[in-house]
Amino acid sequence: MRGDEGASGDERRGPVKKAGGRKTGRKTGPKRTTRPKRVRPPARITAKPPTGADPAAIEALMGSSERFFNRELSWLKFNMRVLEEAENANHPLFERLRFLSISATNLDEFYMVRVAGLRQLVRKGVTRLSQDGLTPRQQVDQIAAEATDLMRQQQRTWKELRVLLAQAGIAVLQRDELTDEDRDLLRQRFMQEVFPVLTPQAIDPAHPFPFIPNQQFAVAFSLTQHDGGAHLYALVPLPTYVPRFMELPEGEGGARRFISLENVISVCQDALFPDCDLNGRCLLRVLRDSDIEIEEEAEDLVREFEVLLKERRRGRVVRLELDSNADPDLRQYFVEALGAEPLDIVEVDGKMSLGELSQLIVDGRSDLVFPTFEPRFPERIREYSGDLFASIRAKDILVHHPYESFDVVLQFLRQAANDPDVVAIKQTLYRTSKNSPIIAALKDAAEAGKNVTALVEIKARFDEEANLKWARDLERSGVHVVYGFIEWKTHAKVSLVIRREQGELRAYTHFGTGNYHPITARIYDDLSLFTADPTLGRDAGRLFNFVTGYSRPTELERIAIAPITLKSTLLELIRAEIAFVRQGRPATIWAKLNALVDPEIIDELYRASQAGVQIRLIVRGICCLRPGVPGLSDNIQVRSIVGRFLEHSRIVCFGNGEEMPSGEAKVFISSADWMPRNLDRRVEALTPILNPTVHRQVLDQIMVANLHDNVQSWTLAQDGGYVRRQVDSGLTKFSAHEYFLENPSLSGRGAALQLTMPPDLKPGT
């Protein structure tokens, strides 16, 4: 996805004046009848510093922890925005259920990693303050309060959705809603489909308390034996590979009916314990610490991970969910047996393991899901008969996923694997899919005799085990596998293909903002830049040499690399905008990120705001910057877009002394969020957009559309709250996601396309 310094001969470079003062070329050839709507730039604001601010008060605020929001609490607010999409009546019903499921899964992972880490600090007596001035204990207490509210809201949302699902012909039944006929059928299916894979576990002096793995959902029983009247406890873990919901025969009007597996087990309890009377019953679910600590001096990093992955199952309890209606004595017994602390215990009044509700999203109900769409394939590649190398040589291409097909990335590697002129392929792999076509292409290339290097990041959280498997498979095919640094994750998304052309070697490079994962590419908003620019190719080679040979690059021509130059480059670019203010020139920063946490970057943005730089940030998730504070951040706006697609691309734009959007602006895409871990402890890439057409696509089309969104966006207030944007009366609703679905992008179609938008959408709203 890079810009084209060397445009093809069929593109005239005559200065054609476009909106925003840009000069660009016009491509000759057949006239296009399909044109994307033009998205007008936000209203231009003359840069000026805040007036009436007390310098001493500003200086005191810049030294105070109050200038930051707490990272963990900000994440919880993000997950609440996800949950609120489950309450959004504009979404189809199954999609609302999906948002609820995602919010529950997100919260589980948050506890298994972030909360688990804080709890460890509390146990060790650590009192070090976070950047916002809280001790680990204070953070844990505030998280518990916020998370409790979030979980209660999840249960309220589920109860509402359950009613709506029933009205739509998808009924989720409770035990007391079953007929005698239903119970008889359930017993038959239970004995055939469930009973053989269940392992009831009695707990008495002869049977010690069993280990309950991470995320295990179980039904606990208090029982009295018929013979002798002995009391015992028993545990029935829900099997992992059995669906959570069992479907019953259709009900009245053809309604599809489901019942949860835990209810099936309760109905059929006498089949599990035929010689016992039931005294009490309790549902429970365990979450454990899943954060892996790496010994930096580990002699064999791969072997270290294989051991730690097995230990993860036995991590300390970090959350114990218990049925609020359970027998008190039974509940207390399991709390003590699991060694749970008071902060671990969560009483659930409703459905447990809400993340599994997505299993209720069944086929055949297109009325309950988002309309399907077919990702576009770049037309310019078709014009070159599918030859990616020829189309990239002609001009850089930016592919905007999921609106444009991820198959372009796959074809890039497949073509490289099959092309006899390709001599080498270098590839980073952070996350990929099961049966990955990326892995298959790399194996094919190696087996065809090409020099293939795969940089496999085995520290990709929750994907470590899969990545180890891929690494072994690649090595067996002759791929040179490198695992990267022990202390740094390699998070950059780069693919480098070296091809012999007319006796010389030419580099073709792919820089991405997302993972090489064809499944997530269907729902993640990401960017893929394909370029034959030799300077970017050389820099990509230096990045690979840095990771494979630990050879710190002495020079980089175009890109910046974390943890070496990326943060310093960003700081220099921010300071350059401050200098433009002092020169009396326009100064603007636009950025689109997943998270903004790094205190050094935030403080520099504060200084830029105080100088008068106009800063507009789109931060999907965590944001520790406090916008709109008089004297501190008057000129900073922060918005978050949460909707059908997961905003995952990272884009950074600097006005460079011109009004935005401008052809003179400095525009970059990146794999890195602005977090200490990305900037200081990961290998990341910040890639400039050099080609004028791609530049317009990223700045004038993608960024401007995101800044205009008033359907799925939220505004961050200076108190840390988020307010959903409202559309003023008489104005057109504008959804960035819908815009991208309906309008072709520029680089895949040519610079002759015009950008238009509804005329009544007020600029700057």
Side-chain angles (χ1 to χ4, degrees):
M1 312 158 134
R2 168 249 146 214
D4 78 282
E5 301 282 347
S8 60
D10 65 342
E11 181 170 315
R12 291 188 291 114
R13 303 298 247 164
V16 180
K17 191 75 171 178
K18 297 291 182 183
R22 178 185 306 281
K23 293 181 179 180
T24 186
R26 175 169 295 159
K27 184 175 180 180
T28 60
K31 183 178 179 181
R32 306 294 184 192
T33 57
T34 304
R35 297 173 180 264
K37 299 176 180 178
R38 180 180 188 278
V39 180
R40 294 184 183 180
R44 292 171 178 167
I45 304 172
T46 303
K48 59 181 180 180
T51 57
D54 180 2
I58 294 175
E59 185 176 356
L61 192 53
M62 283 293 290
S64 167
S65 60
E66 293 182 4
R67 70 190 190 278
F68 299 118
F69 292 128
N70 180 265
R71 179 198 195 283
E72 321 303 341
L73 300 179
S74 179
W75 183 92
L76 284 169
K77 291 185 186 299
F78 158 68
N79 206 38
M80 180 60 82
R81 297 196 294 281
V82 175
L83 178 59
E84 293 207 22
E85 291 307 305
E87 301 166 7
N88 189 339
N90 294 320
H91 293 323
L93 192 52
F94 275 170
E95 304 299 345
R96 296 173 62 182
L97 188 66
R98 199 189 310 274
F99 278 114
L100 174 58
S101 171
I102 291 170
S103 77
T105 301
N106 285 348
L107 189 62
D108 285 351
E109 293 187 3
F110 177 69
Y111 263 82
M112 290 188 294
V113 178
R114 299 300 304 183
V115 176
L118 286 169
R119 294 290 301 279
Q120 285 189 19
L121 295 178
V122 172
R123 293 186 188 103
K124 293 176 182 178
V126 175
T127 57
R128 184 178 66 247
L129 301 182
S130 60
Q131 65 185 35
D132 59 305
L134 297 179
T135 65
R137 179 69 196 209
Q138 289 171 325
Q139 293 183 74
V140 167
D141 289 343
Q142 292 193 32
I143 288 170
E146 294 281 345
T148 297
D149 289 342
L150 176 62
M151 285 185 275
R152 287 173 179 162
Q153 184 60 37
Q154 287 173 336
Q155 294 298 332
R156 286 193 291 268
T157 302
W158 163 239
K159 290 174 183 176
E160 294 170 3
L161 291 180
R162 179 173 174 262
V163 172
L164 294 174
L165 285 166
Q167 294 172 358
I170 307 291
V172 182
L173 305 179
Q174 302 288 7
R175 284 177 295 161
D176 57 7
E177 296 175 301
L178 296 172
T179 65
D180 290 341
E181 184 179 353
D182 290 334
R183 290 174 179 270
D184 291 340
L185 178 62
L186 275 180
R187 284 180 176 277
Q188 294 176 23
R189 293 190 57 189
F190 173 80
M191 297 305 296
Q192 294 171 358
E193 302 172 20
V194 180
F195 184 80
V197 296
L198 287 182
T199 306
Q201 302 176 43
I203 307 168
D204 61 18
H207 301 83
F209 191 86
F211 176 75
I212 304 177
N214 182 35
Q215 295 181 281
Q216 179 72 70
F217 189 14
V219 186
F221 296 97
S222 173
L223 304 165
T224 301
Q225 291 181 318
H226 294 161
D227 184 11
H231 178 266
L232 59 86
Y233 295 109
L235 192 70
V236 182
L238 270 65
T240 305
Y241 297 106
V242 174
R244 173 74 183 282
F245 297 93
M246 184 177 287
E247 186 165 6
L248 293 162
E250 287 186 356
E252 186 177 349
R256 298 185 67 171
R257 302 186 305 147
F258 297 87
I259 186 167
S260 65
L261 187 57
E262 63 268 26
N263 277 326
V264 174
I265 289 173
S266 296
V267 168
C268 303
Q269 168 265 326
D270 57 336
L272 295 169
F273 307 102
D275 59 343
C276 295
D277 292 325
L278 177 66
N279 301 323
R281 170 180 173 273
C282 175
L283 299 180
L284 60 91
R285 182 169 179 263
V286 173
L287 292 183
R288 296 183 179 274
D289 184 341
S290 295
D291 203 9
I292 293 179
E293 295 181 4
I294 303 301
E295 289 291 336
E296 292 190 4
E297 302 300 321
E299 182 176 334
D300 185 334
L301 183 60
V302 176
R303 189 175 300 126
E304 172 88 6
F305 259 92
E306 289 172 339
V307 172
L308 289 173
L309 286 170
K310 295 174 183 177
E311 291 178 352
R312 173 182 285 175
R313 296 179 62 254
R314 306 191 70 87
R316 188 162 185 163
V317 173
V318 70
R319 193 171 88 203
L320 173 60
E321 298 175 5
L322 295 166
D323 182 2
S324 61
N325 297 320
D327 175 77
D329 292 336
L330 183 60
R331 290 174 58 237
Q332 186 60 32
Y333 171 79
F334 279 96
V335 168
E336 295 175 359
L338 286 162
E341 301 172 2
L343 271 174
D344 300 329
I345 300 169
V346 174
E347 293 190 4
V348 178
D349 180 17
K351 182 71 67 180
M352 283 189 191
S353 195
L354 293 173
E356 295 177 323
L357 291 175
S358 59
Q359 295 180 22
L360 293 169
I361 301 174
V362 295
D363 294 334
R365 291 301 303 268
S366 59
D367 57 317
L368 301 183
V369 296
F370 286 128
T372 59
F373 74 99
E374 187 67 28
R376 295 182 293 271
F377 194 87
E379 191 170 303
R380 185 151 57 84
I381 297 176
R382 298 186 191 280
E383 292 171 356
Y384 284 87
S385 302
D387 186 338
L388 269 88
F389 295 139
S391 58
I392 296 169
R393 274 198 309 274
K395 188 171 69 171
D396 295 350
I397 301 173
L398 184 81
V399 181
H400 191 183
H401 313 297
Y403 315 101
E404 295 179 296
S405 177
F406 186 76
D407 197 50
V408 180
V409 179
L410 303 182
Q411 289 194 27
F412 178 69
L413 289 170
R414 287 176 183 142
Q415 185 174 331
N418 296 324
D419 189 335
D421 293 327
V422 168
V423 297
I425 302 172
K426 298 183 179 183
Q427 176 75 49
T428 64
L429 288 171
Y430 189 72
R431 300 188 198 278
T432 189
S433 61
K434 185 177 181 181
N435 301 321
S436 168
I438 298 286
I439 300 293
L442 295 176
K443 291 165 65 176
D444 289 345
E447 290 166 359
K450 302 182 191 306
N451 187 339
V452 182
T453 301
L455 202 166
V456 179
E457 181 48 74
I458 60 171
K459 297 187 292 295
R461 181 169 285 150
F462 299 116
D463 280 319
E464 302 95 339
E465 196 163 6
N467 285 3
L468 283 172
K469 178 184 179 300
W470 295 135
R472 302 298 193 207
D473 290 347
L474 288 167
E475 286 180 326
R476 282 192 289 270
S477 296
V479 175
H480 178 52
V481 175
V482 179
Y483 296 104
F485 299 96
I486 292 175
E487 65 271 27
W488 301 330
K489 288 184 179 180
T490 301
H491 193 249
K493 282 64 177 182
V494 185
S495 182
L496 177 63
V497 173
I498 306 298
R499 191 170 187 267
R500 190 177 300 281
E501 298 177 1
Q502 298 177 341
E504 297 182 353
L505 296 180
R506 181 191 287 266
Y508 293 84
T509 314
H510 167 263
F511 293 95
T513 64
N515 299 305
Y516 291 95
H517 198 306
I519 305 302
T520 59
R522 299 173 188 171
I523 55 173
Y524 282 26
D525 176 292
D526 269 309
L527 301 175
S528 284
L529 175 67
F530 294 92
T531 178
D533 183 281
T535 61
L536 290 173
R538 286 193 293 268
D539 277 352
R542 294 176 179 119
L543 185 151
F544 278 104
N545 291 343
F546 174 47
V547 181
T548 61
Y550 293 2
S551 56
R552 191 182 184 95
T554 56
E555 68 167 331
L556 291 166
E557 297 174 71
R558 294 289 191 181
I559 73 173
I561 296 175
I564 304 174
T565 60
L566 204 158
K567 181 189 279 191
S568 60
T569 299
L570 290 173
L571 292 171
E572 289 171 7
L573 289 164
I574 296 170
R575 290 164 188 158
E577 293 302 311
I578 296 175
F580 286 126
V581 174
R582 293 170 181 160
Q583 296 169 18
R585 298 174 65 182
T588 309
I589 298 171
W590 292 353
K592 180 177 179 293
L593 308 162
N594 300 323
L596 173 55
V597 177
D598 189 85
E600 195 173 354
I601 294 289
I602 291 174
D603 280 345
E604 204 61 43
L605 291 172
Y606 284 150
R607 295 186 188 99
S609 172
Q610 293 159 27
V613 180
Q614 300 300 310
I615 303 169
R616 297 193 177 193
L617 306 175
I618 302 165
V619 185
R620 184 197 78 217
I622 301 166
C623 182
C624 295
L625 179 147
R626 189 184 293 269
V629 177
L632 178 72
S633 53
D634 310 63
N635 293 316
I636 303 178
Q637 296 178 7
V638 179
R639 289 174 180 159
S640 171
I641 296 178
V642 180
R644 175 175 183 176
F645 303 112
L646 181 80
E647 293 296 330
H648 194 252
S649 58
R650 292 91 166 183
I651 302 171
V652 192
C653 312
F654 298 90
N656 198 28
E658 301 292 334
E659 296 280 6
M660 288 272 266
S662 162
E664 302 303 316
K666 294 184 177 181
V667 178
F668 305 83
I669 65 170
S670 182
S671 59
D673 288 309
W674 290 356
M675 306 176 74
R677 72 181 188 193
N678 297 91
L679 302 178
D680 300 329
R681 301 190 298 277
R682 288 187 176 183
V683 178
E684 306 271 15
L686 177 74
T687 307
I689 300 300
L690 306 175
N691 173 270
T693 304
V694 178
H695 190 285
R696 289 182 63 222
Q697 181 178 345
V698 176
L699 182 63
D700 300 44
Q701 187 178 44
I702 296 174
M703 280 301 295
V704 170
N706 276 273
L707 289 169
H708 269 305
D709 185 284
N710 54 24
V711 173
Q712 292 297 144
S713 62
W714 303 70
T715 300
L716 174 59
Q718 61 179 273
D719 65 357
Y722 282 82
V723 180
R724 187 185 285 275
R725 294 187 68 189
Q726 301 296 323
V727 183
D728 294 340
S729 176
L731 292 179
T732 300
K733 290 183 177 180
F734 184 83
S735 164
H737 292 173
E738 292 299 322
Y739 171 80
F740 296 133
L741 282 171
E742 296 170 1
N743 291 275
S745 62
L746 292 178
S747 66
R749 295 289 299 264
L753 288 172
Q754 300 291 327
L755 294 170
T756 60
M757 70 170 299
D760 60 342
L761 186 59
K762 184 189 299 182
T765 56

